[in-house]
């Protein structure tokens, strides 16, 4: 039976190879067209709307990277495979760059192509998370008025993602992540409104609301366990000389010690504003707050900057831990960052930990802390206590609580009436 909706378009400057892949695809009962020239390729996309594209990387008129850039510019939604006889490193780098342009690059297909790898590409399940993000990107148009309304109506809410100790697996704290509960557009993720808020100069007002909510939640839920709370701070906030005093005041009012607060700033932000960052970090550190360099490894920081600014923590960008299981280069980057961090007396956190093997690897190389979907997804503040109970937290405070619960259950302590 023919797969009614499958259409694969192949671009390869070698007509024999293109025809060969077409034949394999047709054998799998998927319609196929192969072309040798980029002009024919883009014309066929317009007329034929392929579901899948197989792209050769090395071509005389236009290389595969240029083709991918044009595809991204045209908002291509086809599923893409890159085929080439180049080394795996170059193929992976191309795949990564295409994914960062928002293209759905499913895989790289080393040449010569086999029936098995072609079949896997053509029939691989659709990654819904990519589709949802792509949908969000095109549908969520946010204006300054929307943001001002959201600030006035206090539509921002927080979710919390646990951070654990790699070796002992003890819970050590939470990172606060913001969400926007829009009355008609639904839940909007921070990547869709934080950069715009920064450009419009509204991030300060949003950060104020986030900090307020985070401190309230902390005082009610996490303070008793002596956990830390990490708050993301934008580059713009670093330029605000009053921020340190304001935060200090907020913590005092909430009865929260400053040293449980970790302020996460992205590597790029710290680089762009080095001068104000130095003043700001120094003031924050003098007041006892911790400062973490976020997304480390993907920005432009220099070692000199890292030594110069008084950070207390390095947070290795999630892209490295997410690929650590399959990619030796990512493991090497994490290993080096851990040793760099320790050399500078900093705590190292790896985020994006998605499996047990990665957590074990981090523990073996001496990375202190971990965060990621394998440990827990970000969750609403109201779910944290249940999550902690389910996880059977073994920290001393919880052990005391567990003991008293056991005593209550065994009747040694009277159970209060509901
Ligand atoms: P970030 O600070 O690097 O936050 C980590 C992001 O990685 C979060 O996305 C989190 O949900 C996601 N994540 C955590 N573990 C995993 C994992 O194992 N796998 C994968 N694939 N992802 C994981 P989220 O919540 O969408 O936040 C995106 C970014 O938005 C944050 O990146 C941060 O830069 C910014 N952001 C979030 N909340 C705030 C905020 O309150 N203020 C500011 N200024 N920026 C914020
Ligand atoms: Ca962060
Ligand atoms: Ca990060």
């Amino acid at each position: 039976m023919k797969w009614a909706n499958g259409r694969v378009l192949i671009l390869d400057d070698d007509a024999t190879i293109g025809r060969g892949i077409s034949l394999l695809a047709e054998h799998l009962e998927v319609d196929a067209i192969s072309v040798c020239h980029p002009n024919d390729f883009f014309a066929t996309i317009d007329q034929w709307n392929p579901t899948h594209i197989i792209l050769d990387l090395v071509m005389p008129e236009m290389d595969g990277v240029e083709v991918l850039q044009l595809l991204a510019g045209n908002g291509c939604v086809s599923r893409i495979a890159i085929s080439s006889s180049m080394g795996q490193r170059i193929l992976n780098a191309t795949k990564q760059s295409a994914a960062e342009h928002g293209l759905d690059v499913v895989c790289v297909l080393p040449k010569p192509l086999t029936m098995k790898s072609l079949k896997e590409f053509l029939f691989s399940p659709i990654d819904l998370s990519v589709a949802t993000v792509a949908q969000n990107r095109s549908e969520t148009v946010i204006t300054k008025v929307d943001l001002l309304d959201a600030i006035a109506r206090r539509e921002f809410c927080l979710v919390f993602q646990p951070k654990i100790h790699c070796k002992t697996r003890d819970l050590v704290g939470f990172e606060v992540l913001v969400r926007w509960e829009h009355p008609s557009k639904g839940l909007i993720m921070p990547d869709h409104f934080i950069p715009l808020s920064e450009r419009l100069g509204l991030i300060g007002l949003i950060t104020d609301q986030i900090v307020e909510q985070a401190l309230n939640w902390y005082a009610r839920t996490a303070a008793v366990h002596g956990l830390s709370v990490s708050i993301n701070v934008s580059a713009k906030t670093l330029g605000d000389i009053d921020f340190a005093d304001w935060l200090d005041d907020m913590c005092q009012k909430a009865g929260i010690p400053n040293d449980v607060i970790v302020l996460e700033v992205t590597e790029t932000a710290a680089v762009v504003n080095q001068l104000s960052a130095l003043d700001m970090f120094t003031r924050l550190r003098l007041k006892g707050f911790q400062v973490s360099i976020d997304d480390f490894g993907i920005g432009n920081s220099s070692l000199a900057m890292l030594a110069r600014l008084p950070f207390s923590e390095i947070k290795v960008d999630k892209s490295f831990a997410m690929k650590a299981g399959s990619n030796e280069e990512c493991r090497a980057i994490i290993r080096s960052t851990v040793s760099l961090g320790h050399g500078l007396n900093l705590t190292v956190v790896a985020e994006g930990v998605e499996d047990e093997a990665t957590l074990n690897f981090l523990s073996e190389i001496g990375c202190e802390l971990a965060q990621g979907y394998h440990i827990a997804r970000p969750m609403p503040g109201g779910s944290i206590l249940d999550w902690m109970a389910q996880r059977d937290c073994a920290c001393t405070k919880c052990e005391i609580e567990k003991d008293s619960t056991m005593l209550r259950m065994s009747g040694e302590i009277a159970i209060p009436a509901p």
Side-chain angles (χ1 to χ4, degrees):
M1 196 183 74
K2 193 104 175 154
W3 178 29
N5 298 317
R7 292 176 303 283
V8 59
L9 174 61
I10 302 131
L11 172 59
D12 198 309
D13 64 308
D14 186 330
T16 319
I17 294 181
R19 261 198 312 276
I21 302 174
S22 288
L23 286 175
L24 289 179
E26 278 165 2
H27 186 74
L28 291 167
E29 306 200 319
V30 174
D31 280 336
I33 295 179
S34 72
V35 291
C36 301
H37 196 280
N39 290 345
D40 298 332
F41 174 74
F42 285 105
T44 313
I45 290 186
D46 288 344
Q47 291 154 15
W48 198 52
N49 196 16
T51 54
H52 291 72
I53 288 171
I54 298 177
L55 183 62
D56 183 19
L57 267 194
V58 187
M59 290 172 296
E61 292 89 0
M62 194 188 262
D63 65 46
V65 175
E66 289 172 281
V67 174
L68 286 166
Q69 278 172 355
L70 283 175
L71 284 173
N74 295 344
C76 170
V77 291
S78 311
R79 316 206 73 204
I80 301 169
I82 297 162
S83 87
S84 175
S85 45
M86 302 294 287
Q88 197 63 35
R89 262 186 90 151
I90 296 179
L91 290 177
N92 284 345
T94 313
K95 182 178 175 212
Q96 175 74 20
S97 120
E100 280 169 15
H101 278 96
L103 293 171
D104 184 10
V105 183
V106 180
C107 58
V108 286
L109 298 171
K111 281 181 176 173
L113 221 81
T114 62
M115 178 69 96
K116 182 171 176 281
S117 59
L118 181 64
K119 191 172 174 185
E120 273 167 13
F121 166 55
L122 293 175
F123 298 103
S124 64
I126 289 172
D127 180 349
L128 285 177
S129 65
V130 173
T132 316
V133 172
Q135 208 180 358
N136 271 346
R137 221 181 268 150
S138 58
E139 284 179 4
T140 312
V141 179
I142 296 164
T143 63
K144 184 170 184 178
V145 174
D146 290 333
L147 280 166
L148 286 167
D149 283 348
I151 294 167
R153 295 195 292 240
R154 302 182 78 87
E155 285 170 358
F156 301 102
C157 63
L158 306 182
V159 288
F160 301 83
Q161 188 175 33
K163 248 161 87 169
I164 63 163
H165 196 280
C166 294
K167 225 172 213 109
T168 62
R169 311 279 159 116
D170 281 348
L171 177 64
V172 295
F174 292 91
E175 178 176 3
V176 175
L177 297 158
V178 67
R179 304 285 181 260
W180 174 5
E181 277 184 315
H182 192 283
S184 58
K185 294 181 172 122
L187 200 68
I188 305 178
M189 301 299 275
D191 285 338
H192 296 287
F193 65 88
I194 292 285
L196 178 67
S197 314
E198 288 175 350
R199 281 201 300 279
L200 294 172
L202 298 174
I203 191 66
L205 294 171
I206 298 177
T207 305
D208 289 357
Q209 294 192 4
I210 293 168
V211 170
E212 236 171 80
Q213 285 189 51
L215 296 186
N216 270 335
W217 168 83
Y218 183 87
R220 272 185 283 115
T221 313
V224 64
H225 300 277
L227 300 168
S228 67
V229 58
S230 301
I231 303 174
N232 291 286
V233 182
S234 287
K236 288 274 152 70
T237 311
L238 291 178
D240 178 358
I241 197 75
D242 297 330
F243 180 71
D245 292 330
W246 175 79
L247 187 63
D248 188 30
D249 195 41
M250 293 290 286
C251 286
Q252 265 185 39
K253 281 187 186 137
I256 296 171
N258 292 0
D259 62 0
V260 301
I261 310 281
V262 185
L263 297 161
E264 294 192 4
V265 280
T266 55
E267 194 183 355
T268 318
V271 175
V272 171
N273 294 285
Q274 263 212 54
L275 248 190
S276 54
L278 180 61
D279 288 351
M280 169 62 84
F281 290 3
T282 309
R283 296 198 71 217
L284 287 165
R285 298 288 279 134
L286 287 172
K287 289 178 186 299
F289 297 109
Q290 299 179 56
V291 181
S292 170
I293 185 159
D294 201 0
D295 300 347
F296 188 78
I298 57 162
N300 311 302
S301 69
S302 67
L303 297 183
M305 183 215 72
L306 196 61
R308 184 167 167 264
L309 295 176
F311 293 107
S312 42
E313 181 185 277
I314 296 191
K315 210 162 178 185
V316 193
D317 186 68
K318 61 174 177 285
S319 56
F320 302 110
M322 280 164 65
K323 285 181 269 167
S326 58
N327 186 317
E328 172 49 36
E329 282 133 26
C330 289
R331 288 197 292 278
I333 288 170
I334 299 172
R335 243 185 247 112
S336 311
T337 311
V338 169
S339 88
L340 173 68
H342 291 169
L344 294 169
N345 222 358
L346 306 174
T347 305
V348 184
V349 188
E351 63 180 345
V353 177
E354 296 191 342
D355 52 51
E356 182 68 16
T358 303
L359 193 50
N360 288 334
F361 161 74
L362 293 167
S363 170
E364 275 160 29
I365 62 167
C367 177
E368 283 90 359
L369 307 180
Q371 183 182 333
Y373 292 169
H374 176 62
I375 298 141
R377 289 191 176 245
M379 58 190 114
S383 309
I384 297 284
L385 288 177
D386 282 347
W387 176 82
M388 281 164 71
Q390 260 174 26
R391 186 172 180 266
D392 201 19
C393 179
C395 80
T396 325
K397 297 252 171 50
C398 293
E399 285 300 332
I400 295 167
E401 276 177 15
K402 260 188 285 171
D403 283 347
S404 61
T405 310
M406 293 294 283
L407 290 173
R408 267 200 297 274
M409 286 167 74
S410 68
E412 287 180 48
I413 292 182
I415 304 171

